[in-house]
Amino acid sequence: GQNIDQPTEMTATEGAIVQINCTYQTSGFNGLFWYQQHAGEAPTFLSYNVLDGLEEKGRFSSFLSRSKGYSYLLLKELQMKDSASYLCAVRDLEDTDKLIFGTGTRLQVFP
Amino acid sequence: DADVTQTPRNRITKTGKRIMLECSQTKGHDRMYWYRQDPGLGLRLIYYSFDVKDINKGEISDGYSVSRQAQAKFSLSLESAIPNQTALYFCATSDLGQGEQETQYFGPGTRLLVL
Protein backbone atom coordinates (compact mmCIF):
# COMPACT_ATOMS: atom_id res chain seq x y z
CA GLY A 1 0.00 0.00 0.00
CA GLN A 2 0.87 3.67 -0.03
CA ASN A 3 1.19 5.75 3.11
CA ILE A 4 2.85 9.05 3.94
CA ASP A 5 2.94 10.39 7.49
CA GLN A 6 3.70 13.90 8.69
CA PRO A 7 2.92 15.68 11.94
CA THR A 8 -0.31 17.64 11.69
CA GLU A 9 0.88 20.85 13.33
CA MET A 10 4.05 22.45 14.63
CA THR A 11 4.89 25.78 16.19
CA ALA A 12 8.18 27.66 16.33
CA THR A 13 9.61 31.07 17.12
CA GLU A 14 10.87 33.64 14.66
CA GLY A 15 14.62 33.20 14.08
CA ALA A 16 14.62 29.59 15.25
CA ILE A 17 15.18 26.32 13.35
CA VAL A 18 12.44 23.78 12.78
CA GLN A 19 12.54 20.25 11.36
CA ILE A 20 9.45 18.73 9.72
CA ASN A 21 9.59 14.95 9.38
CA CYS A 22 8.01 12.72 6.76
CA THR A 23 7.92 8.93 6.67
CA TYR A 24 6.65 7.02 3.69
CA GLN A 25 5.71 3.55 2.53
CA THR A 26 5.17 3.11 -1.20
CA SER A 27 5.44 0.23 -3.65
CA GLY A 28 8.24 1.95 -5.52
CA PHE A 29 10.26 5.12 -5.08
CA ASN A 30 11.29 7.63 -7.70
CA GLY A 31 11.85 10.84 -5.77
CA LEU A 32 10.46 12.90 -2.90
CA PHE A 33 9.19 16.48 -3.16
CA TRP A 34 8.47 19.12 -0.56
CA TYR A 35 5.91 21.84 -1.27
CA GLN A 36 4.92 24.94 0.65
CA GLN A 37 1.27 26.00 0.74
CA HIS A 38 0.00 29.21 2.30
CA ALA A 39 -3.61 29.14 3.43
CA GLY A 40 -6.01 29.25 0.48
CA GLU A 41 -3.21 29.31 -2.06
CA ALA A 42 -1.59 26.83 -4.43
CA PRO A 43 1.23 24.54 -3.32
CA THR A 44 4.63 25.70 -4.59
CA PHE A 45 7.73 23.56 -5.08
CA LEU A 46 10.45 23.78 -2.44
CA SER A 47 12.84 20.87 -2.84
CA TYR A 48 13.50 17.48 -4.40
CA ASN A 49 15.47 14.44 -3.20
CA VAL A 50 16.05 11.18 -5.01
CA LEU A 51 19.42 10.11 -3.55
CA ASP A 52 20.28 9.76 0.14
CA GLY A 53 21.62 12.86 1.77
CA LEU A 54 21.03 16.53 2.26
CA GLU A 55 19.99 19.07 -0.37
CA GLU A 56 20.40 22.71 0.64
CA LYS A 57 18.59 25.69 -0.85
CA GLY A 58 19.20 28.85 1.09
CA ARG A 59 17.31 28.75 4.40
CA PHE A 60 15.65 25.45 3.45
CA SER A 61 17.28 22.01 3.40
CA SER A 62 15.80 18.59 2.77
CA PHE A 63 17.20 15.22 3.78
CA LEU A 64 16.40 11.73 2.50
CA SER A 65 17.11 8.22 3.73
CA ARG A 66 15.65 5.70 1.28
CA SER A 67 16.46 2.68 3.44
CA LYS A 68 14.46 4.17 6.31
CA GLY A 69 11.66 5.63 4.18
CA TYR A 70 12.33 8.96 5.86
CA SER A 71 12.78 12.58 4.91
CA TYR A 72 12.85 15.89 6.73
CA LEU A 73 12.57 19.52 5.76
CA LEU A 74 14.76 21.88 7.77
CA LEU A 75 13.86 25.55 7.92
CA LYS A 76 16.47 27.92 9.38
CA GLU A 77 16.22 31.53 10.53
CA LEU A 78 12.45 31.28 10.59
CA GLN A 79 10.44 34.26 9.42
CA MET A 80 6.79 35.05 9.98
CA LYS A 81 6.13 34.45 6.28
CA ASP A 82 7.20 30.81 6.75
CA SER A 83 3.88 30.19 8.50
CA ALA A 84 2.27 27.77 6.03
CA SER A 85 1.55 24.10 5.42
CA TYR A 86 4.39 21.91 4.21
CA LEU A 87 3.49 18.95 2.02
CA CYS A 88 5.63 15.88 1.55
CA ALA A 89 5.00 13.99 -1.70
CA VAL A 90 6.53 10.78 -3.04
CA ARG A 91 6.64 9.72 -6.67
CA ASP A 92 5.67 6.06 -6.80
CA LEU A 93 7.49 4.31 -9.62
CA GLU A 94 5.14 1.34 -9.31
CA ASP A 95 2.03 3.51 -9.70
CA THR A 96 2.49 5.23 -13.04
CA ASP A 97 4.94 7.64 -11.48
CA LYS A 98 2.15 9.63 -9.78
CA LEU A 99 2.77 11.83 -6.77
CA ILE A 100 1.37 10.59 -3.47
CA PHE A 101 0.85 13.48 -1.03
CA GLY A 102 0.95 13.48 2.74
CA THR A 103 -1.72 15.44 4.57
CA GLY A 104 0.70 18.28 5.27
CA THR A 105 2.20 19.89 8.37
CA ARG A 106 0.81 23.26 9.38
CA LEU A 107 3.62 25.40 10.77
CA GLN A 108 2.91 28.51 12.82
CA VAL A 109 5.76 30.91 13.46
CA PHE A 110 5.36 33.23 16.43
CA PRO A 111 7.25 36.48 17.13
CA ASP B 1 0.64 36.20 -16.45
CA ALA B 2 0.13 32.98 -14.51
CA ASP B 3 1.34 29.78 -16.14
CA VAL B 4 -1.57 27.67 -14.85
CA THR B 5 -5.00 29.27 -14.59
CA GLN B 6 -8.30 27.96 -13.30
CA THR B 7 -11.82 29.22 -13.83
CA PRO B 8 -13.94 29.92 -11.96
CA ARG B 9 -12.01 30.76 -8.77
CA ASN B 10 -15.10 30.42 -6.63
CA ARG B 11 -18.40 28.71 -7.32
CA ILE B 12 -21.56 28.05 -5.38
CA THR B 13 -23.97 25.53 -6.84
CA LYS B 14 -26.92 23.40 -5.78
CA THR B 15 -27.20 19.65 -5.37
CA GLY B 16 -27.89 17.94 -8.68
CA LYS B 17 -26.48 20.66 -10.90
CA ARG B 18 -23.83 19.94 -13.51
CA ILE B 19 -20.77 22.16 -13.35
CA MET B 20 -17.45 22.37 -15.15
CA LEU B 21 -14.12 23.59 -13.85
CA GLU B 22 -11.60 24.73 -16.44
CA CYS B 23 -7.82 24.60 -16.37
CA SER B 24 -5.46 26.18 -18.88
CA GLN B 25 -1.67 26.22 -18.98
CA THR B 26 0.97 28.05 -20.99
CA LYS B 27 3.90 25.94 -19.78
CA GLY B 28 3.76 23.56 -22.74
CA HIS B 29 3.53 20.55 -20.42
CA ASP B 30 2.04 17.27 -21.59
CA ARG B 31 0.91 16.06 -18.18
CA MET B 32 -2.07 17.53 -16.34
CA TYR B 33 -3.83 16.59 -13.11
CA TRP B 34 -6.93 17.38 -11.10
CA TYR B 35 -6.82 17.19 -7.29
CA ARG B 36 -9.21 18.02 -4.53
CA GLN B 37 -8.09 19.19 -1.12
CA ASP B 38 -10.11 18.75 2.06
CA PRO B 39 -9.07 19.71 5.60
CA GLY B 40 -7.17 16.86 7.22
CA LEU B 41 -7.12 14.76 4.05
CA GLY B 42 -4.49 16.47 1.97
CA LEU B 43 -4.40 16.48 -1.82
CA ARG B 44 -6.17 13.58 -3.48
CA LEU B 45 -5.89 12.79 -7.17
CA ILE B 46 -9.14 12.74 -9.14
CA TYR B 47 -7.98 12.27 -12.75
CA TYR B 48 -4.80 12.73 -14.72
CA SER B 49 -3.75 12.92 -18.35
CA PHE B 50 -0.32 12.35 -19.85
CA ASP B 51 -1.25 13.55 -23.33
CA VAL B 52 -4.15 14.80 -25.41
CA LYS B 53 -6.90 12.16 -25.41
CA ASP B 54 -5.19 10.23 -22.61
CA ILE B 55 -7.39 9.97 -19.50
CA ASN B 56 -6.64 8.04 -16.31
CA LYS B 57 -8.57 7.65 -13.08
CA GLY B 58 -7.04 8.71 -9.81
CA GLU B 59 -7.97 7.52 -6.34
CA ILE B 60 -11.31 9.36 -6.12
CA SER B 61 -12.76 9.57 -9.64
CA ASP B 62 -16.36 8.57 -8.81
CA GLY B 63 -18.79 11.41 -9.52
CA TYR B 64 -16.31 13.24 -11.76
CA SER B 65 -15.37 13.22 -15.44
CA VAL B 66 -12.68 15.02 -17.41
CA SER B 67 -11.89 16.13 -20.93
CA ARG B 68 -8.48 16.76 -22.52
CA GLN B 69 -9.15 18.07 -25.99
CA ALA B 70 -5.96 20.12 -26.27
CA GLN B 71 -2.53 20.06 -24.71
CA ALA B 72 -3.18 23.31 -22.87
CA LYS B 73 -6.64 22.54 -21.48
CA PHE B 74 -7.98 20.01 -19.01
CA SER B 75 -11.59 20.30 -17.81
CA LEU B 76 -13.20 18.67 -14.79
CA SER B 77 -16.96 18.07 -14.68
CA LEU B 78 -19.27 17.21 -11.84
CA GLU B 79 -22.23 15.61 -13.59
CA SER B 80 -24.59 15.90 -10.62
CA ALA B 81 -23.02 17.82 -7.76
CA ILE B 82 -23.49 16.64 -4.19
CA PRO B 83 -22.59 18.41 -0.91
CA ASN B 84 -19.61 16.16 -0.12
CA GLN B 85 -17.96 17.45 -3.29
CA THR B 86 -17.54 20.77 -1.53
CA ALA B 87 -13.77 21.26 -1.54
CA LEU B 88 -10.83 23.20 -2.92
CA TYR B 89 -9.92 21.92 -6.39
CA PHE B 90 -6.47 22.25 -7.90
CA CYS B 91 -5.24 21.68 -11.41
CA ALA B 92 -1.54 20.89 -11.87
CA THR B 93 0.86 20.31 -14.75
CA SER B 94 4.22 18.62 -15.10
CA ASP B 95 6.75 17.91 -17.77
CA LEU B 96 8.44 14.66 -18.66
CA GLY B 97 12.04 15.15 -17.65
CA GLN B 98 14.51 14.12 -15.00
CA GLY B 99 14.01 14.43 -11.29
CA GLU B 100 13.29 17.96 -10.17
CA GLN B 101 12.16 18.87 -13.67
CA GLU B 102 9.11 16.68 -13.12
CA THR B 103 7.79 18.77 -10.27
CA GLN B 104 4.14 19.68 -10.52
CA TYR B 105 3.01 23.29 -10.97
CA PHE B 106 -0.34 24.12 -9.46
CA GLY B 107 -3.07 26.51 -10.50
CA PRO B 108 -4.55 28.95 -7.97
CA GLY B 109 -7.44 26.65 -7.08
CA THR B 110 -11.23 26.69 -7.37
CA ARG B 111 -13.25 26.87 -4.18
CA LEU B 112 -16.50 24.96 -4.73
CA LEU B 113 -19.49 24.96 -2.41
CA VAL B 114 -22.36 22.57 -3.11
CA LEU B 115 -25.54 23.40 -1.21
Side-chain angles (χ1 to χ4, degrees), chain A residues 58-73:
Chain A
R59 293 190 300 114
F60 294 0
S61 304
S62 57
F63 171 83
L64 175 67
S65 169
R66 290 172 296 170
S67 62
K68 295 181 179 178
Y70 168 69
S71 173
Y72 68 72
L73 181 69

Side-chain angles (χ1 to χ4, degrees), chain B residues 9 11 19 27 31 35 42 44 46-48 50-51 56-58 61-63 65-66 75-78 81 86 98 109:
Chain B
R9 294 294 312 279
R11 178 75 183 269
I19 66 163
K27 300 188 75 67
R31 300 182 171 195
Y35 293 91
R44 292 183 293 166
I46 305 172
Y47 272 97
Y48 62 102
F50 283 174
D51 203 347
N56 304 282
K57 292 183 177 180
S61 59
D62 288 348
S65 63
V66 290
S75 302
L76 176 72
S77 294
L78 286 68
T86 293
Q98 294 295 326

